Amino acid sequence: MAAVQDGGSEPEGEKEPQPELPSDGSSAPAATPASKPEEQQQQQQQTLLAVLQFLKRNKLIESVDALRREAGLADEPDEAPGSEAGGGVGGAAAGSADSADASALLSRVAGAAQSGAASAPCNISFSSIVLFIVLSVGGEDQPDVSVVLSAYSQQGDPSLYQVYYSGLKKFIESVLDCHRAELSQLFYPLFVHMYLELVYNNHESEAKAFFEKFSGDQECYYQDDLRVLSGLTKKEHMKGNETLLDFRTSKFVLRISRDSYQLLKRHLQERQNNQIWNIIQEHLYIDIFDGMPRSKSQIDSMSGSLAGEARREANKAKVFYGLLKEPEIEVPLDDEDEEAENEEGKPKKKKPKKDSMGSKSKKQDPNAPQQNRIPLPELKDSDKLDKIMYMKEATKRIRLGPETLPSICFYTFLNVYQGLTAVDFTDDSSLIAGGFADSTVRVWSVTPKKLRKVKSAADLSLIDKESDDVLERIMDEKTASESKILYGHSGPVYGVSFSPDRNYLLSSSEDGTVRLWSLQTFTCLVAYKGHNYPVWDTQFSPYGYYFVSGGHDRVARLWATDHYQPLRMFAGHLGDITCTRFHPNSNYVATGSADRTIRLWDVLNGHCVRVFTGHKGPIHSLAFSPNGKYLASGSTDGRVLLWDLGHGLMIGELKGHTDTVYALKFSRDGEILASGSMDNTVRLWDAFKAFDDVETDDFTAATGHIHLPDNSQELLLGTYLTKATPVIHLHFTRRNLLLAAGSYNSQ
């Protein structure tokens, strides 16, 4: 069926053979007449028998049994009536069980299922049959080229491809300006798939000429993809190519107004351009909206991802972005605090802040999830003491704004020779950890208090456990030092994250593992092995216990520290997952990817509830606002984008950096957003004004987009340049002092 989203959602059916261009007002090609019920039943039975023979031949007995149960077949289905039908798929498979090629059988199965109807006595669908095959043969490997690229086997005259494309280009360039910008979105996906069709069908010279003629017309932000595509000049090159599989297995999404779509369809009908229409039907998903066509700037702001824009229904799920109710903890006032207040004569300014902290724990945010939506660890006594310290610090916090910018303290790592790959600070800013390319993790104390290990078991047995200072007595003063080195990884360490209680440290590495380290003994407690490839990032939940990891295998995993296997696997990205972040309420996880999209995942059920597109390069940094309502993202394109989680829309674009934005952090009160980049600068932005300026009425627009004001210079509050140190991490202390970190680049 046509992959056209017309207002609501239209279910996608099985692939139909050679769809014809519709001549009426419908958006889907006419379906072929259905076969007789007897023929349908026989054909599906033969298909199923062929699959069973294939699984048996590969000695996949468990899969045979599972498929037989799913289909409701008897114990010996290969002897059932119809298995020896002359010339059928089952007969062919049975007759050449030892020599039949797997890919040939799969293509025959696909052809048989496509020509059959959906209704049959058998209780199993064709998609389930194919899934059995893929999982049984080895789902982790790349799909066979003949299966993945089967759609490219139906092609027209190779000499006319340039004519088809040129004709469409000429038409789009001749339409009104208001439609031209929207219809120009077709150029890139059509160019890619027409080129791949030519290559797949061994028309190498025509493919080369086609690429050379039209590759220069594509948008600049697709140049990296085109560079990969230019290397695919032979059919053999296509096998196992990740970029190619991304194009083939995911439909490119275009968002077009109804008027522009009708204009395109009318043109293709008049020209009888079936080749173009077939590609649109097979590989594109057109999301139609009612209203005025979008401008070029509006389209460009949302374009650039590997699979086009996000579908509108992908961002319609309810997101509970509010904060959880804080536990009610009374904050005892020190004598020093009371005296300081009396001396300053400003008790009125102090009290409202303390009241606001108290009210935060009493009032339930209407947009917050239920307190028990996901199980969270109970607060220990040490956690309550830390909360009290946090609240005391908060009363002394500086209120930031355009007139009161934060002081910035920069930690420069010297003599690491570009070996520093990751940095993290503890929430109380007492410790700093670095991950290095030599596979080590190093921890420093940034306070006068040195790092000490716990005493040995023999020494601990001599300690009076009832004494008031037992926590001090268990520490071994002989081991005190300003830093500790943690050995265990067998590859560069790309991500580090402290637990909220400062007792543990996570590290992720090129060796495919995530390690949990004790900061009491400075030893590795667990090595979590779930990723098969490098793990680019990991982060603890704000409440501890849970953590998330993401890497080259394109799957983010949710873990609990006391479980060896992941609790959730978040699959959907088409590229490496380069950064991960927990939402402040711990119910959601955000992931940024090399496919140039950001996804928000629900921890409760593993569903993807938001897909954000707009970046023109891989995403390397994410930050949630303290109130949980907004998300900021940074990318290799040098831009910082702001997103509204509740409405699922981009609401701001901050331009200024000239290189990858590697670090983002909101101030504790959410008034200031700090960004750090590989261009050796830290920039401060007026986050309050950026969010306050957004017209909430625009969110209800039927088109699902708003006009972004180009006000980056108005929002930029300050730029701070280092000598030659790229900024790879930012952290606001509890009193809103900004800490930054990076390694000095002497070259």
Side-chain angles (χ1 to χ4, degrees), residues 56 58 90 153 227 229 435 628 645 718:
K56 274 189 171 184
N58 285 275
S153 60
R227 200 173 298 117
L229 205 61
L645 297 180

Side-chain angles (χ1 to χ4, degrees), residues 532-725:
N532 297 321
Y533 297 99
V535 186
W536 302 129
D537 196 21
T538 186
Q539 201 211 13
F540 255 116
S541 158
Y543 293 89
Y545 185 63
Y546 300 111
F547 64 93
V548 64
S549 62
H552 180 60
D553 59 9
R554 308 177 175 190
V555 177
R557 288 169 168 81
L558 176 77
W559 310 76
T561 51
D562 59 357
H563 285 67
Y564 189 69
Q565 297 293 333
L567 306 180
R568 295 282 185 274
M569 294 176 68
F570 306 120
H573 280 294
L574 300 176
D576 294 26
I577 293 177
T578 47
C579 53
T580 57
R581 282 295 174 272
F582 260 97
H583 189 276
N585 66 24
S586 200
N587 278 251
Y588 300 94
V589 167
T591 54
S593 170
D595 66 8
R596 309 187 284 277
T597 67
I598 301 146
R599 287 175 179 258
L600 188 71
W601 309 88
D602 192 335
V603 166
L604 179 66
N605 49 36
H607 293 165
C608 178
V609 292
R610 291 289 182 269
V611 181
F612 296 132
T613 64
H615 277 295
K616 309 302 186 279
I619 287 90
H620 280 282
S621 53
L622 295 169
F624 285 99
S625 62
N627 63 7
K629 189 175 181 180
Y630 305 107
L631 174 69
S633 59
S635 163
T636 57
D637 59 16
R639 296 155 58 221
V640 176
L641 300 184
L642 306 176
W643 311 90
D644 182 287
L645 297 180
H647 297 93
L649 292 172
M650 183 197 300
I651 56 172
E653 179 183 24
L654 307 177
K655 300 176 184 176
H657 286 292
T658 57
D659 206 338
T660 302
V661 180
Y662 214 83
L664 288 170
K665 195 71 177 180
F666 282 94
S667 62
R668 297 280 178 158
D669 49 21
E671 301 278 332
I672 300 290
L673 172 64
S675 60
S677 169
M678 303 303 281
D679 63 7
N680 304 341
T681 65
V682 174
R683 292 175 187 261
L684 300 179
W685 310 88
D686 191 342
F688 178 80
K689 179 176 172 57
F691 298 139
D692 195 49
D693 285 352
V694 175
E695 294 292 336
T696 52
D697 294 341
D698 292 340
F699 288 142
T700 58
T703 54
H705 60 264
I706 61 172
H707 180 70
L708 294 177
D710 188 9
N711 58 348
S712 296
Q713 291 307 310
E714 297 174 22
L715 299 175
L716 182 62
L717 300 177
T719 301
Y720 304 90
L721 186 66
T722 66
K723 184 178 179 182
T725 306

Side-chain angles (χ1 to χ4, degrees), residues 68-133:
R68 190 183 300 160
R69 285 195 303 273
E70 183 80 14
L73 293 178
D75 290 342
E76 297 296 331
D78 50 335
E79 296 178 4
S83 63
E84 298 182 5
V89 178
S96 56
D98 296 326
S99 60
D101 183 22
S103 61
L105 177 59
L106 281 173
S107 61
R108 287 201 298 273
V109 169
Q114 286 174 353
S115 59
S119 60
C122 193
N123 295 327
I124 188 167
S125 66
F126 171 66
S127 59
S128 302
I129 295 174
V130 173
L131 183 62
F132 268 109
I133 296 175

Side-chain angles (χ1 to χ4, degrees), residues 284-550:
L284 308 188
Y285 181 97
I286 299 180
D287 190 350
I288 299 174
F289 64 87
D290 293 307
M292 292 292 293
R294 293 186 297 170
S295 66
K296 181 75 165 67
S297 62
Q298 286 176 319
I299 292 170
D300 284 346
S301 67
M302 303 299 291
S303 301
S305 86
L306 204 59
E309 294 188 40
R311 304 184 187 190
R312 277 181 299 162
E313 67 265 24
N315 291 332
K316 287 184 177 177
K318 171 74 174 174
V319 171
F320 300 101
Y321 57 80
L323 303 182
L324 296 177
K325 191 169 74 168
E326 293 285 346
E328 296 188 13
I329 302 174
E330 290 193 8
V331 184
L333 277 177
D334 296 336
D335 294 338
E336 296 176 5
D337 293 340
E338 290 179 348
E339 288 173 10
E341 281 186 10
N342 292 332
E343 287 172 10
E344 292 171 10
K346 297 179 181 178
K348 291 182 180 178
K349 287 189 178 178
K350 293 274 183 178
K351 283 180 181 175
K353 285 193 174 181
K354 288 172 186 173
D355 289 341
S356 68
M357 293 299 294
S359 64
K360 185 180 179 183
S361 63
K362 292 173 185 175
K363 291 182 181 179
Q364 177 71 35
D365 189 331
N367 295 304
Q370 291 185 354
Q371 203 77 10
N372 59 352
R373 187 171 183 266
I374 61 170
L376 293 172
E378 291 184 6
L379 282 180
K380 304 188 291 289
D381 289 341
S382 59
D383 297 328
K384 291 178 181 178
L385 287 173
D386 196 56
K387 286 277 184 188
I388 291 173
M389 288 299 299
Y390 176 83
M391 290 173 165
K392 285 184 177 180
E393 292 282 323
T395 63
K396 302 171 185 177
R397 180 184 300 158
I398 299 171
R399 182 68 180 265
L400 300 180
E403 305 301 322
T404 53
L405 297 180
S407 299
I408 304 176
C409 176
F410 202 102
Y411 288 87
T412 303
F413 291 74
L414 299 174
N415 302 320
V416 296
Y417 306 108
Q418 299 180 340
L420 180 70
T421 49
V423 176
D424 193 31
F425 289 89
T426 53
D427 185 70
D428 68 350
S429 312
S430 62
L431 302 175
I432 182 173
F436 293 85
D438 63 0
S439 77
T440 62
V441 179
R442 297 168 190 253
V443 183
W444 287 269
S445 171
V446 292
T447 65
K449 191 175 181 181
K450 293 189 176 182
L451 301 176
R452 298 168 296 172
K453 292 183 181 179
V454 174
K455 291 180 179 178
S456 64
D459 292 336
L460 288 174
S461 62
L462 304 175
I463 295 176
D464 179 11
K465 299 178 179 60
E466 302 300 323
S467 62
D468 294 336
D469 60 343
V470 65
L471 293 178
E472 278 295 316
R473 292 189 180 192
I474 65 174
M475 307 310 293
D476 189 354
E477 289 296 333
K478 297 176 184 176
T479 63
S481 63
E482 291 182 353
S483 67
K484 299 288 184 184
I485 304 178
L486 309 177
Y487 297 99
H489 283 295
S490 58
V493 177
Y494 292 117
V496 289
S497 177
F498 283 106
S499 65
D501 60 7
R502 303 181 299 285
N503 288 327
Y504 304 101
L505 174 69
L506 284 171
S507 61
S508 62
S509 167
E510 187 259 354
D511 61 16
T513 66
V514 179
R515 288 180 179 264
L516 181 71
W517 308 85
S518 168
L519 298 181
Q520 305 294 330
T521 61
F522 295 97
T523 56
C524 180
L525 303 177
V526 192
Y528 300 95
K529 300 176 181 178
H531 294 273
N532 297 321
Y533 297 99
V535 186
W536 302 129
D537 196 21
T538 186
Q539 201 211 13
F540 255 116
S541 158
Y543 293 89
Y545 185 63
Y546 300 111
F547 64 93
V548 64
S549 62

Side-chain angles (χ1 to χ4, degrees), residues 77-352:
D78 50 335
E79 296 178 4
S83 63
E84 298 182 5
V89 178
S96 56
D98 296 326
S99 60
D101 183 22
S103 61
L105 177 59
L106 281 173
S107 61
R108 287 201 298 273
V109 169
Q114 286 174 353
S115 59
S119 60
C122 193
N123 295 327
I124 188 167
S125 66
F126 171 66
S127 59
S128 302
I129 295 174
V130 173
L131 183 62
F132 268 109
I133 296 175
V134 172
L135 293 178
S136 303
V137 177
E140 70 279 356
D141 296 330
Q142 299 290 4
D144 192 283
V145 66
S146 63
V147 179
V148 173
L149 303 176
S150 58
Y152 293 140
S153 60
Q154 301 294 335
Q155 47 93 34
D157 185 348
S159 62
L160 295 178
Y161 274 50
Q162 289 195 29
V163 177
Y164 293 147
Y165 193 88
S166 297
L168 182 66
K169 183 182 174 186
K170 187 177 180 181
F171 160 71
I172 291 176
E173 289 175 348
S174 67
V175 300
L176 294 174
D177 291 348
C178 61
H179 300 297
R180 187 186 308 151
E182 285 196 328
L183 295 180
S184 294
Q185 297 178 82
L186 286 163
F187 287 147
Y188 175 67
L190 285 176
F191 169 80
V192 169
H193 289 295
M194 292 177 82
Y195 174 75
L196 292 176
E197 275 192 6
L198 289 170
V199 173
Y200 180 75
N201 291 287
N202 295 313
H203 304 301
E204 295 176 18
S205 58
E206 289 88 348
K208 183 179 179 181
F210 183 83
F211 189 91
E212 290 177 352
K213 184 171 182 179
F214 299 113
S215 60
D217 297 339
Q218 310 309 318
E219 296 286 357
C220 59
Y221 40 78
Y222 292 124
Q223 292 307 309
D224 288 342
D225 297 335
L226 293 174
R227 200 173 298 117
V228 174
L229 205 61
S230 64
L232 301 172
T233 57
K234 297 180 182 293
K235 185 176 179 179
E236 294 75 30
H237 299 165
M238 302 171 84
K239 188 169 185 177
N241 185 283
E242 290 183 355
T243 304
L244 174 73
L245 292 173
D246 293 337
F247 281 122
R248 176 62 194 93
T249 56
S250 61
K251 292 195 172 185
F252 197 92
V253 180
L254 306 174
R255 194 176 296 174
I256 295 178
S257 67
R258 187 175 301 279
D259 292 343
S260 298
Y261 176 69
Q262 294 294 345
L263 202 64
L264 171 69
K265 191 166 71 171
R266 197 177 308 120
H267 167 75
L268 294 177
Q269 287 173 357
E270 292 171 356
R271 297 297 178 93
Q272 285 298 303
N273 198 336
N274 282 342
Q275 194 65 36
I276 297 286
W277 183 254
N278 289 344
I279 292 177
I280 291 175
Q281 295 288 83
E282 183 68 32
H283 301 292
L284 308 188
Y285 181 97
I286 299 180
D287 190 350
I288 299 174
F289 64 87
D290 293 307
M292 292 292 293
R294 293 186 297 170
S295 66
K296 181 75 165 67
S297 62
Q298 286 176 319
I299 292 170
D300 284 346
S301 67
M302 303 299 291
S303 301
S305 86
L306 204 59
E309 294 188 40
R311 304 184 187 190
R312 277 181 299 162
E313 67 265 24
N315 291 332
K316 287 184 177 177
K318 171 74 174 174
V319 171
F320 300 101
Y321 57 80
L323 303 182
L324 296 177
K325 191 169 74 168
E326 293 285 346
E328 296 188 13
I329 302 174
E330 290 193 8
V331 184
L333 277 177
D334 296 336
D335 294 338
E336 296 176 5
D337 293 340
E338 290 179 348
E339 288 173 10
E341 281 186 10
N342 292 332
E343 287 172 10
E344 292 171 10
K346 297 179 181 178
K348 291 182 180 178
K349 287 189 178 178
K350 293 274 183 178
K351 283 180 181 175

